[in-house]
Amino acid sequence: VVVGSGGESVELRPSVYALFGPNGSGKSSLLALLSSCARGGALPAGLALAGECDVQLRLSADDIVEVTQRLYCPLSCQPVRWLAPSAHRNTSLAPLAARAAALLTELHFWSRRDDGAAAGGGTEGGEGRREEEESLAAELMAEHEDYCGALSGGQRAKLELVRSVLLRPVCPRLLLLDEFFAPLSAWSKALVAGRV
């Protein structure tokens, strides 16, 4: 990735980078700006440039995924349709719901404790795990008025990770995570970091 402005540029080689700074210093704005400019799209609301945005990527816009700190969840929906909006209306959603449920179970979606033990022992393995996956898949297939309204911040973050990254056929080559780990417990952070 080469980012430039006014004759100055910086090249970011493939690696893991972190932005640090105090609240309000522009970290989220920079990520949104990079994502928008790299895709050739409009700037995010409230941002303006004094010159041109010159971001050169050696990958397609489909290879970029940005997960913002303001996670979006629709109100009235069948969660599996939101998880995979590109699924054709005539496509059977049951296999997709089962895959999403397996990923969410792996991330201890319903876990209520930080030590890894799931509520009701559902993710300890074997039959309990299968039951949890089946129950979660059925929940994802059902219509809900406000599915995400009853979820914790950590559960919403895990749901977004599954939606935007893990359900994709291929992992994105550029993943921009904007304070994604903030709502997760220390144990969940380790689980998610291991999966990403």
Side-chain angles (χ1 to χ4, degrees), residues 80 106 123 133:
V80 70
E106 179 185 330
T123 58
E133 286 179 16

Side-chain angles (χ1 to χ4, degrees), residues 33-49:
L33 181 69
L34 287 173
S35 181
S36 293
C37 288
R39 290 187 172 117
L43 293 176
L47 290 182
L49 289 177

Side-chain angles (χ1 to χ4, degrees), residues 79-117:
V80 70
R81 290 221 181 267
W82 171 70
L83 288 171
S86 62
H88 190 272
R89 288 284 178 200
N90 296 330
T91 302
S92 172
L93 295 174
L96 181 64
R99 184 165 171 240
L103 289 165
L104 288 166
T105 300
E106 179 185 330
L107 295 174
H108 293 259
F109 185 71
W110 289 120
S111 180
R112 303 288 189 243
R113 295 170 34 188
D114 279 347
D115 63 3

Side-chain angles (χ1 to χ4, degrees), residues 6 16 32 57 66 72 86 106 108 137 147 172 178 193-194:
V16 175
L57 297 177
E66 179 185 13
Y72 168 77
S86 62
E106 179 185 330
H108 293 259
Y147 182 70
D178 185 3

Side-chain angles (χ1 to χ4, degrees), residues 102-149:
L103 289 165
L104 288 166
T105 300
E106 179 185 330
L107 295 174
H108 293 259
F109 185 71
W110 289 120
S111 180
R112 303 288 189 243
R113 295 170 34 188
D114 279 347
D115 63 3
T123 58
E124 296 303 315
E127 189 62 33
R129 182 181 175 116
R130 276 190 295 282
E131 288 174 6
E132 184 174 343
E133 286 179 16
E134 289 171 4
S135 174
L136 188 49
E139 188 174 306
L140 294 173
M141 292 288 292
E143 288 284 337
H144 297 272
E145 276 303 311
D146 185 8
Y147 182 70
C148 293

